[in-house]
Amino acid sequence: MNDDLKAVNYFKEFETKHKELKDEFRRVSNDILFLISRLEKLNSELRRLPEKVEQDNSEIFQSFNEVIEKRNEKITPIVHDLEDAVELRQLNVIIQKQGWTIQDFIKELDIAPRTFYKKVETHTFTMKELNIVRRVLSLTDQEFLTLFFN
């Protein structure tokens, strides 16, 4: 009888261990299925990534164009006839009166000489550049307005 009792206890212990292993296997299987699902989702997202990057670049490019358009709104009007560009001649006079050479003045503006001369020719200074000119030449409000906006 003692051997029968031991056998029953071993069998119950075996059943308990078997159930625990089965439950552990089920839990691990569910975890694996969840991971597979996540990997499939990530794979799908990864496949769409070039399309998303292209879309984001398109949005960035559009934003960039909007910035350029806003910048262009802040540009001074173009003067087509240099004879009408009295303020540009006045600018040269002020530059020289302040003791600057044109080359040093252009370096202070941090633009290429060719760019400066083109801006002078077409009168397309941005407001930022005009403010730098104003600061470098120590222009008063009235001098600045008279020179560029009269």
Side-chain angles (χ1 to χ4, degrees):
M1 176 143 152
N2 208 8
D3 287 339
D4 288 341
L5 190 58
K6 281 184 179 179
V8 168
N9 282 338
Y10 284 135
F11 183 73
K12 284 184 180 181
E13 189 177 327
F14 175 77
E15 278 184 324
T16 304
K17 294 281 185 191
H18 181 261
K19 185 179 181 305
E20 287 174 1
L21 281 172
K22 206 172 163 183
D23 290 344
E24 184 68 16
F25 181 77
R26 191 174 293 123
R27 188 188 62 75
V28 169
S29 296
N30 286 336
D31 288 347
I32 289 172
L33 289 173
F34 173 76
L35 289 173
I36 289 171
S37 170
R38 286 288 293 142
L39 285 171
E40 287 174 344
K41 184 177 178 183
L42 287 172
N43 188 27
S44 172
E45 290 174 5
L46 186 61
R47 286 187 178 150
R48 288 188 308 227
L49 189 60
E51 178 183 308
K52 179 149 177 51
V53 167
E54 186 176 316
Q55 179 183 359
D56 288 349
N57 284 344
S58 174
E59 290 171 6
I60 290 169
F61 186 71
Q62 184 177 2
S63 295
F64 179 74
N65 283 338
E66 290 170 5
V67 168
I68 294 295
E69 286 176 17
K70 286 180 183 176
R71 178 194 165 275
N72 287 340
E73 290 172 4
K74 296 179 181 178
I75 293 178
T76 56
I78 295 176
V79 176
H80 296 287
D81 186 359
L82 286 178
E83 291 302 315
D84 293 338
V86 175
E87 68 276 5
L88 297 177
R89 287 195 301 274
Q90 291 174 341
L91 177 61
N92 286 336
V93 169
I94 292 172
I95 290 169
Q96 291 169 356
K97 279 185 181 178
Q98 293 280 345
W100 292 87
T101 65
I102 298 295
Q103 287 74 25
D104 289 338
F105 181 74
I106 293 170
K107 283 181 189 173
E108 187 67 22
L109 291 179
D110 197 27
I111 59 176
R114 182 175 178 177
T115 303
F116 174 77
Y117 290 115
K118 183 174 181 177
K119 287 179 179 286
V120 167
E121 180 182 319
T122 59
H123 195 198
T124 54
F125 289 100
T126 64
M127 289 305 294
K128 180 180 177 183
E129 292 165 335
L130 289 175
N131 283 321
I132 293 171
V133 168
R134 179 181 186 183
R135 180 184 49 81
V136 169
L137 295 177
S138 304
L139 298 174
T140 65
D141 291 344
Q142 188 58 43
E143 290 170 327
F144 178 74
L145 290 173
T146 301
L147 186 61
F148 292 105
F149 298 102
N150 238 1

